[in-house]
Amino acid sequence: MSCPPNSIVYNTTLCACQPGQLLNFTTQKCNLFMDSSSISTDSGVDYSIGFPATLFDFDSIKKFTQSQAVFLEATLVMLLSWLFFCFFMRFMNLGDGRNVWFKIRWWISRLDISFATRHWVDDQKVVMKRKTELGGTFSMASWILFIGLFAALLYQIISKRSVEVHNIRATNAPDLASFVNDLEFNITTISSMSCSNLRGLDTLVTGNPGFIDERVAPLSGFANYSCHNTSQGPTISIRCNRCKFTLDNLYISWQYVDLPNNPATAVGFQFNLSARNQANKKHVSFVCGTLKNGSSFNDKPVTFRGRAANILKFNLFPRIYRNLHDLRLIQPLFHEFLPGSSFYESSQLQASLENSNDGLINTTLYVNFLSAYIVEISHQNIVGAVSFLADLGGLYCISIGIFFYLLVQFEYRIKKFRNEDSVLRKIRNRRKAQDRWNKLRKYVNYTWGCNTLDDVYKKPEKKSSCGGFMVQSVHRNGSSHKRNQQNKMDSISFNKKLSLPNAKNASSGRSCTTGVTSCIAGTAPIPEGRMPDSSDATPVKCEVLGSTNNGKQHSVGLCEGASSRPQSISLADENVIPLPPTLELEAGSEMNMSDIQKNLRSLYEYNVMLREKLVAAQSLLHALATKSSSPVTDSKT
């Protein structure tokens, strides 16, 4: 007969695995038992929040946020990113207030919500609400810090919002009788044996063995027990329904014996003890684990075999949960494992297998019910409304205080930061004033068709002027009536550094000079520099009345001809129409509402004066045309 690998031969023909190794029936090989000796305990009571479970999965959150350090690191990254962004934006040019950099820096200053009234104020100055770019930077930085610390505080409240308080008090028999639980003991002997090797599972010993309180009773009177085979080995199950513990110590023993070609050997034990309240079966307390080489300090693999008993000790603690309607639940705890006969040398195991007196494994389950005291457990919240508000207020004060100190230091040491809000406001006000002036200029240009309000300061060599025309009314008696109306216009000025957009570039080089010629003899007005072609008509010399582009006004009205009534029209300087107000830009000038109203009023008066001049010129031209047409008609007749 061939033996599997890693096995030993005893009694010449029989095979067994080496110490610490277990036979795998699938591969027919001896494999080393590698399970860890770990003990797990659960009280069966969960203090986690139940109502938000449908909204938030706290278990998944804890996987990514194992501590408050995650929130603090994320806060630090966001804070440094914001400060670096604002530091970078300060090097961008503001321009004329129309680029994207000015808009970004303007909105950063609008974010100054925390320090708007805490900026630098000179002596005897009234505290005003001012929003600066530095204040907006530090305001948002303080809020980022506060939100990060607040998130860390919420995590602390969620994870450590309560504490479990244990009170121990002495007990008596009626208190112990109130503990009615369902207990279950599962002990698995890790080996290649089966339930056929089991012997002696039918006796229960209570009290202290060897003392006067020792009692022996059948196990069936205490609990239901059974044995079933598993892949790990035979499992002993002992179930006690509605158990009432009135005795402190319980002992339950059984043995595994040798069978032909199936020796009684084991490499470890697995156990699982659980307790459930009879009235509230939702809560289950348990203890489970794996035992290999007992209480030794080395992990050397061994094989259990022999007469010395392997004792598994457990303690049962009675507990009362006051916050769960006085739930009475027994908590099983693993106390100690006392290993029996075991071998870690192959020769020793071989000798034991050949000795029939060692052909068994004794196992004893020892249960100690700690009935002298009862543990009362209450659940207390460590975070209340007042403490939460106090923590929240402290975080807010810290966040605001840090950046307020930095703001004061920056404005105290660097004077440029004290009045930086006025720079942004001036640029923005000038841009708005330009836009509004362009609208007004376009309105005037569209309404009266005059390009005087174009950008005269932008291209002085091509500036246009709307020179006034002078009209001399001539009567038959040779008398002339002169009209004179002068109006002093206030100048409207802007900063020369800023450019006004030209809505009509083509009109900038066009002159708005108006000329009127008047002739006594002739059938129609003759343009400048032209002579009549008719042979019977007397040549007439006419000059244009008006003003030139250089602003100098000249008006010579002279009509000469061969008529019997030559009349000359003498023109005076007082009849010249005054020029419209010119735009003079002065650096550092600012406009208020009163100045705008005053300029608009002057512009209105100037337009009224122009209308009067135009009406007078129209009436004069009509009269001249009528008088010039009447001699021609007489000559034809």
Side-chain angles (χ1 to χ4, degrees):
M1 180 179 179
S2 61
C3 295
N6 300 327
S7 62
I8 59 176
V9 180
Y10 67 98
N11 291 338
T12 308
T13 58
L14 300 177
C15 302
C17 293
Q18 293 182 3
Q21 296 185 1
L22 184 64
L23 178 62
N24 189 342
F25 291 98
T26 304
T27 61
Q28 292 297 319
K29 293 181 180 180
C30 293
N31 299 323
L32 185 64
F33 182 66
M34 299 296 295
D35 288 358
S36 61
S37 300
S38 59
I39 308 297
S40 300
T41 305
D42 191 358
S43 62
V45 177
D46 188 12
Y47 293 105
S48 62
I49 299 177
F51 66 91
T54 57
L55 301 177
F56 304 100
D57 189 0
F58 289 103
D59 294 334
S60 61
I61 294 176
K62 290 181 180 179
K63 293 179 181 178
F64 300 98
T65 57
Q66 297 297 330
S67 63
Q68 294 179 346
V70 177
F71 292 98
L72 298 179
E73 291 173 359
T75 303
L76 181 61
V77 171
M78 294 179 61
L79 181 61
L80 294 179
S81 301
W82 169 254
L83 294 177
F84 177 78
F85 171 74
C86 295
F87 178 76
F88 172 76
M89 290 304 302
R90 295 195 70 90
F91 291 95
M92 297 295 103
N93 187 16
L94 295 175
D96 59 350
R98 301 182 186 275
N99 54 14
V100 66
W101 307 119
F102 175 81
K103 294 179 181 179
I104 294 176
R105 294 182 63 176
W106 172 261
W107 282 111
I108 291 177
S109 66
R110 298 304 93 187
L111 297 177
D112 188 2
I113 58 178
S114 299
F115 308 116
T117 58
R118 295 179 175 87
H119 291 287
W120 181 272
V121 179
D122 296 333
D123 293 338
Q124 305 299 326
K125 294 290 184 178
V126 180
V127 178
M128 299 179 63
K129 189 174 183 180
R130 299 163 48 211
K131 293 188 176 183
T132 65
E133 188 176 358
L134 183 65
T137 301
F138 286 157
S139 293
M140 288 297 100
S142 63
W143 278 101
I144 291 174
L145 179 61
F146 171 71
I147 293 174
L149 296 178
F150 179 66
L153 177 62
L154 289 181
Y155 176 82
Q156 180 181 3
I157 293 174
I158 294 174
S159 59
K160 300 177 181 180
R161 64 195 173 278
S162 62
V163 64
E164 191 178 78
V165 179
H166 290 220
N167 296 323
I168 299 177
R169 66 178 178 87
T171 184
N172 50 28
D175 293 332
L176 295 177
S178 63
F179 284 86
V180 180
N181 284 186
D182 296 338
L183 299 179
E184 183 175 355
F185 304 87
N186 294 313
I187 309 296
T188 302
T189 303
I190 303 173
S191 65
S192 58
M193 300 184 297
S194 64
C195 292
S196 301
N197 300 80
L198 179 62
R199 301 289 187 274
L201 183 61
D202 56 2
T203 303
L204 173 65
V205 178
T206 62
N208 296 317
F211 288 87
I212 191 172
D213 59 345
E214 179 183 1
R215 298 290 185 272
V216 179
L219 181 59
S220 59
F222 172 75
N224 298 323
Y225 61 93
S226 62
C227 177
H228 58 276
N229 295 318
T230 63
S231 60
Q232 297 290 333
T235 300
I236 304 298
S237 296
I238 302 174
R239 295 182 177 87
C240 177
N241 296 325
R242 301 184 61 84
C243 287
K244 294 183 178 181
F245 287 92
T246 57
L247 300 175
D248 293 342
N249 300 319
L250 299 175
Y251 297 90
I252 302 174
S253 300
W254 61 89
Q255 300 84 30
Y256 291 99
V257 299
D258 289 341
L259 292 178
N261 297 327
N262 192 3
T265 58
V267 295
F269 300 91
Q270 284 184 349
F271 61 88
N272 186 358
L273 276 68
S274 61
R276 187 192 306 268
N277 185 270
Q278 184 67 26
N280 190 354
K281 296 184 178 182
K282 181 176 68 174
H283 301 283
V284 179
S285 61
F286 66 89
V287 59
C288 61
T290 302
L291 304 172
K292 292 194 299 183
N293 56 351
S295 300
S296 60
F297 293 97
N298 53 38
D299 294 333
K300 198 170 185 179
V302 298
T303 297
F304 298 98
R305 175 181 171 83
R307 289 185 174 276
N310 300 286
I311 303 175
L312 285 75
K313 293 184 177 181
F314 296 92
N315 293 328
L316 301 180
F317 280 90
R319 292 182 174 182
I320 300 178
Y321 294 90
R322 296 299 184 185
N323 57 306
L324 297 177
H325 307 287
D326 294 339
L327 174 66
R328 285 172 166 80
L329 189 64
I330 295 176
Q331 175 64 55
L333 298 174
F334 175 75
H335 180 63
E336 187 182 4
F337 172 58
L338 296 178
S341 301
S342 60
F343 305 95
Y344 57 90
E345 294 290 342
S346 298
S347 59
Q348 296 176 357
L349 179 59
Q350 184 179 10
S352 176
L353 290 171
E354 294 177 350
N355 186 3
S356 60
N357 294 327
D358 292 338
L360 75 162
I361 299 176
N362 281 327
T363 306
T364 300
L365 175 63
Y366 169 52
V367 179
N368 181 19
F369 186 62
L370 303 178
S371 59
Y373 298 95
I374 293 179
V375 180
E376 295 181 345
I377 301 175
S378 60
H379 176 70
Q380 296 181 359
N381 294 324
I382 60 175
V383 179
V386 178
S387 60
F388 173 75
L389 294 178
D391 296 338
L392 191 63
L395 295 180
Y396 179 78
C397 293
I398 291 174
S399 304
I400 296 297
I402 292 175
F403 291 99
F404 177 64
Y405 174 78
L406 294 177
L407 178 69
V408 171
Q409 293 298 321
F410 271 93
E411 293 185 348
Y412 174 74
R413 300 178 185 276
I414 304 176
K415 295 182 179 180
K416 181 180 178 181
F417 292 139
R418 298 180 183 179
N419 299 314
E420 65 175 359
D421 59 322
S422 60
V423 177
L424 296 176
R425 283 191 288 105
K426 285 181 180 179
I427 295 177
R428 188 169 181 268
N429 292 339
R430 289 169 185 169
R431 179 176 59 82
K432 284 188 174 182
Q434 289 179 19
D435 295 340
R436 292 167 182 172
W437 171 251
N438 290 335
K439 292 180 181 180
L440 178 61
R441 180 176 55 81
K442 292 176 182 179
Y443 173 75
V444 173
N445 191 13
Y446 175 78
T447 305
W448 287 279
C450 185
N451 299 326
T452 303
L453 301 180
D454 284 342
D455 305 332
V456 295
Y457 61 91
K458 187 174 181 181
K459 297 180 179 179
E461 69 278 1
K462 296 182 180 181
K463 68 177 182 178
S464 61
S465 61
C466 186
F469 56 86
M470 182 177 63
V471 178
Q472 178 77 25
S473 61
V474 182
H475 299 277
R476 291 183 179 179
N477 54 8
S479 64
S480 62
H481 300 277
K482 301 180 180 179
R483 295 182 181 179
N484 183 17
Q485 183 178 3
Q486 296 181 353
N487 187 11
K488 296 182 180 180
M489 306 296 296
D490 295 332
S491 62
I492 303 175
S493 62
F494 287 101
N495 195 336
K496 290 183 180 179
K497 297 182 180 179
L498 301 178
S499 61
L500 291 175
N502 191 356
K504 296 182 180 180
N505 295 324
S507 63
S508 61
R510 183 183 60 186
S511 176
C512 191
T513 304
T514 304
V516 177
T517 61
S518 60
C519 296
I520 299 176
T523 58
I526 302 175
E528 179 182 359
R530 295 288 304 276
M531 297 298 294
D533 295 336
S534 177
S535 60
D536 54 352
T538 304
V540 180
K541 181 179 178 181
C542 300
E543 292 188 1
V544 179
L545 307 179
S547 62
T548 60
N549 291 336
N550 56 7
K552 297 181 179 180
Q553 300 175 354
H554 74 280
S555 58
V556 178
L558 181 58
C559 294
E560 297 179 356
S563 61
S564 60
R565 294 180 300 173
Q567 293 183 5
S568 63
I569 303 174
S570 64
L571 303 177
D573 293 339
E574 59 184 5
N575 294 328
V576 177
I577 298 177
L579 290 176
T582 59
L583 297 177
E584 296 180 0
L585 302 180
E586 299 178 0
S589 62
E590 294 185 2
M591 296 186 64
N592 52 24
M593 187 57 66
S594 60
D595 295 335
I596 294 175
Q597 291 177 353
K598 181 179 179 181
N599 293 328
L600 291 177
R601 188 180 300 107
S602 300
L603 184 60
Y604 174 76
E605 294 175 355
Y606 178 77
N607 291 331
V608 172
M609 183 266 295
L610 286 179
R611 185 179 181 279
E612 293 178 355
K613 295 285 186 179
L614 288 174
V615 171
Q618 183 179 6
S619 60
L620 179 59
L621 288 176
H622 187 269
L624 291 176
T626 304
K627 291 177 65 177
S628 61
S629 60
S630 58
V632 174
T633 304
D634 297 338
S635 63
K636 288 183 180 182
T637 56

